[in-house]
Amino acid sequence: MSAPDYRPTVFLPKTDFPMKAGLPEKEPQILAKWQAADLYAQLRAARKGRDKFIYHDGPPYANGDMHIGHALNHILKDAVVRTQSLLGKDVPYVPGWDCHGLPIEWKVEEAYRAKKQNKDEVPAKEFRAECRAYAQHWVNVQAGQLQRLGINGDWKKPYLTMDFASEATIVSELLKFAESGQLYRGAKPVMWSPVEKTALADAEVEYHDITSTQIDVAFEIVEAPNAPELVGAYAVIWTTTPWTIPVNQGIAYSEDVDYICVEHLHPELIQSSQPGQAPAAGKSLKERTKRVIVAAALLEQIAKERMPLGLKTDRVLWRGKGADFAGAVARHPMHKLGGFFATPRPFLPGDFVTTDQGTGLVHMAPDHGEDDFALCKAHGINPVFAVEADGRYRADWLWLGGEAKNVINPNLNAPDGPICSDLKAAGALLSAGPFAHSYPHSWRSKKKVIFRCTPQWFVPMDKPIGPSVALRAPPPHPKNGEDVAVPPQAPLGEGDHAQHGGGADTLRARALAAIAATHFTPDKGRNRIGSMVEGRPDWVLSRQRAWGVPITLFVDRKTGDYLVDKSINQKIIERFKAEGVDAWTPEFARELLGDRVDQYEMITDILDVWFDSGCTHAYVLESGRWPEYSWPADLYLEGSDQHRGWFQSSLLQSCATRGRAPYKAILTHGFTMDASGRKMSKSEGNVINPLDVMKTFGADILRLWALSVDFTEDHRIGDEILKGVADQYRKLRNTFRYLLGALDGFSDAERLPVAEMPALERWVLHRLAVLSGELKAAVNAYDFNRYTSLINDFVQNDLSAFAMDVRKDSLYCDAPTAPTRRAWRTVLDIVFHALTRWLAPVLVFTAEEVWATRYPDAQSVHLLEWPEIDAAWQDAALDKQFTLARKLREEAYLKLEELRRARKVGSFLEARVAITTAHSDRIAALAGLDLAELLLVAEVAITAGDTESLMVEKADLAKCARCWRHLPDVNAETELCGRCDAVVHG
RNA sequence: GGGCCGGUAGCUCAGGGGUUAGAGCACACGCUUGAUAAGCGUGGGGUCGAAGGUUCAAAUCCUUCUCGGCCCA
């Protein structure tokens, strides 16, 4: 006999909300609605007068399509803005772009080259106009892509560092440095490409493996106050850049290293045994023998690899510490040339000297090395500018001056080249041979670069910030052998601040104090930026380029002082506001200076783009152009690479001009790797393009991914991962679908007071209240991974697998007026409102779709605030009861599954559970609960006994044809239980 | 090469000296066919990157190594 079909009498969920999302098609439609309604403006109006959360966006570079790093970065930013807004705060978000700088210049130049045009023949103004147009193009492209990602911001009025008002702000900020004396013109070794005759930024340099000539050169010691016995011995230095020997000015040693003196036979003596080679004519054995000094730890290696025959390692003539070299002086192998080469070469203690390779003694050419420059500067030894921009020695240089070859030419450095030949003739060359290593090359020409001192503008890190001090520039063309003047006010080189800067109000001290006062998420960021600021050299501000903000200074040709005139500065700022960077012309200079114009050198260098970005806080937060903002920011949020970048440029800029950081807190994220944890690169073919992900999965999937990974570390993305995220999304989407279906037709009239609800409903509300607190904590800690997994666990475990499963019976089969069903629907409505709001910052499109499905005429879900959760819903005693009940459920299901495997039952609804326990408290705790209902079984019996047991068996009860429960009160005729009979016939 | 950071199930993540290392997903098997390209249950799956050390006891603390990342050279 077949049961009557009661299906039409059952209240099944009803909704048009589709199970399949179709995000790639649907999201753009939702976005168009937001744009048409100006959601951002609506949100500003809705939050007017609320507590502000000042988030300041770091400007990405306006060059190229959005990549996965941008996507992650902006999703996190958007999540911060949206979650804070959800908490009820007013959170403006003005996106911005970094628009000046080299990469854009390159691209524009490339276009010229493609057209066979010469960039140098294009007027600067025209060239800059093209750069501006190029930047604007990518700003527009990226703005579109970021909006597609669901980033809600002031897209109608973003900030661009190339806005005239921004360029004026940057100049204004620079002039603050000038007016407070925090600028100086100095020299510094920079990466220089002799081929392109220009300085290179780090980003323009790439490293390649090459083979250079390595040489060991002997410097005769002429004075050694701490170890007189060393006079006449030779200090051996090792270098892979022989061309720097003609610019040597000293020798560095390490105070901690052990040094050793041994005998060395002149190479000529060895070569003399070879046929056709003349012996070292006319020299006695004694003359051909040198006492040479190297680090003890390196002796064997040198003897083995570079001087297999010359070095006599078996007889130690002297042993000592680096400190024995204090005050010692050597002479240059070419001292006989006189002039520059005749001056003494002092021994200097350098903490960068190691015994990793070389000889433990390092030759110092302050023109051509950073360590060299710093150490020499600290001892009053200045660069001599022996190598010209084209990479050749100055024509008047005493040794090799006018040498036709560029110093990077391998032939010049070769063992048989002019340098080695001269050193050999002077008896100073102890070895010469090939050496393979990694060496910097120009990104564009692929040619080797050199370190070369050039005049640059600096911000001093360790100069006390006080009244303005006139500064001086070094003479542009020092003569051979002359002492080169350094600015007397020039700050100390890096590494010296510890001794000299302590206690003074310096930029470094201010920056370190500001770091200590800043909140970091994760906290390790403090350590990272702190150690960088502690160790960083002075800030090199100048670039010899076209596309950027000019260093608007006039330098007195006689005194070298730069002009500080507030009224002139004001005129400069005003003109920049009107015309932007093109204002900086000789005509303008004449207008400003009148007859005095020839008295001054107009600086044409432009600013490091990091200075631009360091000023965004002034432009965006302070200028009044975005009145919704105020200074300082509550938060800056960028990738961990910005510890060296924007976090630092902003910090230094602001500390110098305002005495504190422009932010209260910093949030950093790691980098996105491929599925196996490796860096993405075009050549590896492992790049995941966010635009593709949006096309195949949708922006909400990408957002859920970004907010599910541990962004504070490096994290991965790949097909498998995205598939997993999509599965997680489907679960959330289906939960919404179920809620929408279950709440079909729900109205306020149906609501039931919490006090009248069954235990399960009250327990769900309790869970909601607990969850609300946990989610708030996660939001305030920016812990989005925790945020999404808390929601996920709640949906998965508490709702889907438990409460919703249990309450299906009530929802489907109770009378619509039954308090039990009304109670559950009341709770489902509360859950619906909580989940849509909580997930709105994550699944921005889906949340809107869900909201619009239930409330087609309502405003956007994104205008809503944190769900109203009554703290009184928390009920610890109830939670304890349910913890116990769910544990019991778990245990029972283990046994029930056995029963099912044995084919005794199909559905658990057919089974009964009998529990015996000695714990009377457990029985009491479960007393108020309908366990059969919670376990979804026919019946549960708990009895007190001496032992613990849990038995399951098929319950011999009739099945209700409508609700499918196995109950004692099923009418044999109708096959309905009492409840269902009342609903169907009552 | 230097500074800093990281490596827990196939995936995303918990756990930071103390029972047999957890969760969700995925996978396998089963139930249901009234959330149905859905829902529920059960299960398998880990030398906690490797090796030493400290300790009664180590995924956890220390050292070295390895792999990977960011920054710098």
Side-chain angles (χ1 to χ4, degrees), chain A residues 527-594:
Chain A
N527 180 20
R528 183 148 180 204
I529 193 172
S531 59
M532 283 181 189
V533 168
E534 239 168 64
R536 70 158 294 150
D538 290 347
W539 187 357
V540 187
L541 280 189
S542 46
R543 297 289 185 275
Q544 291 71 47
R545 293 282 171 175
W547 179 226
V549 179
I551 295 180
T552 52
L553 294 177
F554 296 106
V555 175
D556 190 308
R557 291 183 192 278
K558 279 195 198 123
T559 64
D561 297 343
Y562 61 72
L563 183 67
V564 177
D565 181 324
K566 288 201 178 188
S567 75
I568 286 182
N569 288 353
Q570 201 48 47
K571 284 179 194 159
I572 296 173
I573 295 164
E574 289 307 321
R575 183 64 65 90
F576 270 69
K577 277 185 191 160
E579 297 176 14
V581 295
D582 287 331
W584 195 241
T585 60
E587 294 72 37
F588 184 40
R590 182 165 294 280
E591 188 184 322
L592 288 169
L593 298 173

Side-chain angles (χ1 to χ4, degrees), chain A residues 192 239 468 627 648 845:
Chain A
W192 185 273
T239 181
S468 174
Q648 199 175 139
F845 294 103

Side-chain angles (χ1 to χ4, degrees), chain A residues 929-976:
Chain A
L929 300 178
D930 182 344
L931 288 173
E933 178 187 84
L934 295 181
L935 268 61
L936 285 161
V937 295
E939 52 181 333
V940 176
I942 304 190
T943 48
D946 299 332
T947 55
E948 301 292 316
S949 79
L950 194 154
M951 312 271 285
V952 294
E953 61 185 350
K954 190 172 163 61
D956 235 348
L957 294 169
K959 176 182 177 183
C960 170
R962 181 166 175 269
C963 70
W964 298 343
R965 293 179 72 180
H966 292 244
L967 295 162
D969 65 340
V970 175
N971 181 309
E973 233 176 85
T974 60
E975 291 187 47
L976 289 176

Side-chain angles (χ1 to χ4, degrees), chain A residues 789-846:
Chain A
S789 59
L790 279 169
I791 293 174
N792 203 50
D793 288 353
F794 172 72
V795 166
Q796 197 75 235
N797 301 329
D798 296 336
L799 286 184
S800 187
F802 183 55
M804 282 175 166
D805 207 29
V806 168
R807 280 292 180 256
K808 266 186 206 173
D809 176 71
S810 180
L811 184 68
Y812 297 174
C813 300
D814 278 352
T817 51
T820 45
R821 187 170 190 271
R822 285 175 56 198
W824 180 235
R825 292 236 294 175
T826 304
V827 166
L828 286 182
D829 180 64
I830 294 168
V831 166
F832 175 87
H833 280 273
L835 283 183
T836 41
R837 285 161 168 82
W838 284 335
L839 282 171
V842 182
L843 308 175
V844 295
F845 294 103
T846 302

Side-chain angles (χ1 to χ4, degrees), chain A residues 128 174 185-186 454-458 540-553 576 584 601-608:
Chain A
R128 283 194 294 262
L174 172 76
R185 198 183 205 182
T454 54
Q456 301 289 349
W457 289 90
F458 293 81
V540 187
L541 280 189
S542 46
R543 297 289 185 275
Q544 291 71 47
R545 293 282 171 175
W547 179 226
V549 179
I551 295 180
T552 52
L553 294 177
F576 270 69
W584 195 241
E601 175 197 357
M602 177 185 179
I603 300 304
T604 56
D605 290 355
I606 63 164
L607 281 163
D608 175 13

